[in-house]
Amino acid sequence: MMGSKALCLALFCVLFASHIYIPIPGNIEERWKVMALDAIFKTCTFMGMCFENIGIMTYEDFISMIFRLDYTQPLSDENVTVTDTAFTDIPVRVYLPKRKSETPRRAVIYIHGGAYCFGSCKQTAFDFLNRWTANKLDAVVVGVDYRLAPQHRFPAQFEDGIAAVKFFLQDKILTKYGVDPTRICISGDSSGGRLAAAVTQKVQNDPEIKHKIKVQALLYPHLQVIDSYLPSHRENENGVVLTRDIAIKLVSLYITEDKTFPQALKRNEHMPLESRPLFKFVNWSTLLPKKYRKDYVYTEPILGRTSYSLPALMDIRMSPLLANDSQLQNLPSTFILTCQHDILRDDGLMYVSRLQNAGVQVTHEHIEDGFHGALSFMASPLYLHLGLRIRDMYISWLDKNL
């Protein structure tokens, strides 16, 4: 009896280890620390999927519960006053430098990542980043706490983002916070990078919005759902922290409750026939530099294989890469950061090409030893030098351009 239990335990351990172990790319800094962090993330994913399969709770509820353990209180310090408030009915966290300023300040509106389903501007890493930004740049910083999927699907997150930005851009609000209306940035990472890109497109192209954005900063952004089999998707299918399967699961939760969609997205057979004209905007065979195309062969995704109707799939608020050149031409100076070992790498690379082709001034930083979500690792005990490097690149660019 004991022997059979030991055998079952051993088999489970082998299964578990094989599920979470993924070789770490050889050029990654702090290799053992990254391996440990990756194992923690993969373990949480494994447990969440197990709980979902046996009916205890959904995967996303389990991961959300873990994320909420990392939320912080609005604690001011000697340099910055931190306040939780609301812009209309959108929760935000505002960071105001305490030192006196003779002139109106710069401002940064930050939209956090979290795969549309998780997270908050109150997370330790984002609170640290926004507090750091306010202090280093002597800037007013606003973190936006948009609604999360799957309780609130697209376009709720975009609607919250644009509502918060439009509220902030009112003259009376800018005056209240002492902000220079000509020196405002919208930033975001990952899914927040997509929301930042979409909101910036809306602000810059809407004649009814008086004040425009001076610069935007997009950190390893997710920018399209048209093609789910880019070279970076193939190379990083089992990537550090974020795998292709988990990315597909979370994006699907964001878009629809249709149970057939994730498998269609995984096969790259999720787009309708009428979407064919849009593929020129995300054709990686022309938009990616040769270095990243490698020997991959471009084949257009198979269209019209599905029974559902999802207008979101062709909406530029969902995929900012679908904006045409006349819309892109109005965009401000842009900072885009991409990471080599990231499933979303090619989204950022293609947006760099699209913006440059439209005449937009773009600064592109590519981190050869970088991976997705590195900004989440800036605070003890989970800090990485990579996260601090990305922070410093971002702050340095803002200081010079905002």
Side-chain angles (χ1 to χ4, degrees), residues 247-306:
I248 285 172
K249 180 179 180 65
L250 296 174
V251 167
S252 299
L253 288 170
Y254 172 52
I255 296 172
T256 179
E257 60 184 11
D258 190 300
K259 301 301 182 185
T260 66
F261 181 75
Q263 285 305 311
L265 184 59
K266 187 172 184 177
R267 296 191 304 269
N268 212 18
E269 298 177 0
H270 58 292
M271 296 299 294
L273 279 172
E274 58 269 28
S275 67
R276 189 176 303 277
L278 300 177
F279 280 87
K280 64 178 180 290
F281 297 128
V282 294
N283 186 334
W284 59 261
S285 69
T286 60
L287 293 171
L288 284 185
K290 186 175 181 180
K291 173 183 178 180
Y292 303 103
R293 296 198 303 266
K294 297 185 177 179
D295 295 325
Y296 294 108
V297 177
Y298 178 80
T299 54
E300 190 172 286
I302 298 171
L303 307 178
R305 285 280 186 89
T306 57

Side-chain angles (χ1 to χ4, degrees), residues 82-330:
V82 183
T83 308
D84 283 349
T85 183
F87 288 179
T88 63
D89 58 346
I90 313 302
V92 297
R93 178 166 287 184
V94 179
Y95 301 79
L96 286 172
K98 286 185 175 179
R99 57 184 175 270
K100 298 290 184 181
S101 178
E102 298 299 322
T103 58
R105 287 187 166 97
R106 306 180 271 193
V108 177
I109 302 168
Y110 195 90
I111 307 179
H112 70 84
Y116 311 105
C117 298
F118 311 127
S120 165
C121 62
K122 300 173 184 176
Q123 282 176 251
T124 298
F126 296 126
D127 180 70
F128 172 82
L129 177 63
N130 290 335
R131 189 184 297 267
W132 184 275
T133 304
N135 187 37
K136 290 295 181 182
L137 301 185
D138 191 29
V140 176
V141 179
V142 177
V144 181
D145 234 2
Y146 55 85
R147 289 170 290 172
L148 300 175
Q151 291 82 5
H152 305 281
R153 291 192 166 89
F154 174 85
Q157 294 74 14
F158 171 84
E159 290 172 344
D160 288 358
I162 190 64
V165 169
K166 288 172 72 174
F167 181 89
F168 186 69
L169 292 179
Q170 296 177 92
D171 286 324
K172 64 180 181 181
I173 303 300
L174 295 173
T175 300
K176 173 183 175 180
Y177 289 111
V179 170
D180 182 342
T182 67
R183 304 180 73 191
I184 298 171
C185 171
I186 297 180
S187 303
D189 68 291
S190 187
S191 55
R194 183 193 69 74
L195 294 169
V199 167
T200 301
Q201 287 182 5
K202 174 64 175 175
V203 171
Q204 300 305 94
N205 287 289
D206 188 342
E208 294 185 2
I209 298 178
K210 174 183 172 183
H211 297 301
K212 302 300 180 182
I213 303 305
K214 183 177 182 182
V215 298
Q216 63 173 336
L218 313 176
L219 310 173
Y220 42 80
H222 173 230
L223 296 168
Q224 59 89 31
V225 294
I226 303 301
D227 190 338
S228 66
Y229 208 49
L230 304 176
S232 60
H233 297 166
R234 307 179 209 187
E235 292 173 22
N236 300 289
E237 184 168 7
N238 296 305
V240 179
V241 176
L242 182 65
T243 66
R244 183 168 183 261
D245 282 347
I246 291 301
I248 285 172
K249 180 179 180 65
L250 296 174
V251 167
S252 299
L253 288 170
Y254 172 52
I255 296 172
T256 179
E257 60 184 11
D258 190 300
K259 301 301 182 185
T260 66
F261 181 75
Q263 285 305 311
L265 184 59
K266 187 172 184 177
R267 296 191 304 269
N268 212 18
E269 298 177 0
H270 58 292
M271 296 299 294
L273 279 172
E274 58 269 28
S275 67
R276 189 176 303 277
L278 300 177
F279 280 87
K280 64 178 180 290
F281 297 128
V282 294
N283 186 334
W284 59 261
S285 69
T286 60
L287 293 171
L288 284 185
K290 186 175 181 180
K291 173 183 178 180
Y292 303 103
R293 296 198 303 266
K294 297 185 177 179
D295 295 325
Y296 294 108
V297 177
Y298 178 80
T299 54
E300 190 172 286
I302 298 171
L303 307 178
R305 285 280 186 89
T306 57
S307 58
Y308 52 71
S309 175
L310 292 172
L313 296 176
M314 297 189 293
D315 194 318
I316 65 169
R317 297 173 300 171
M318 170 66 72
S319 297
L321 265 165
L322 297 185
N324 60 44
D325 286 351
S326 64
Q327 293 168 310
L328 297 182
Q329 286 167 2
N330 294 323

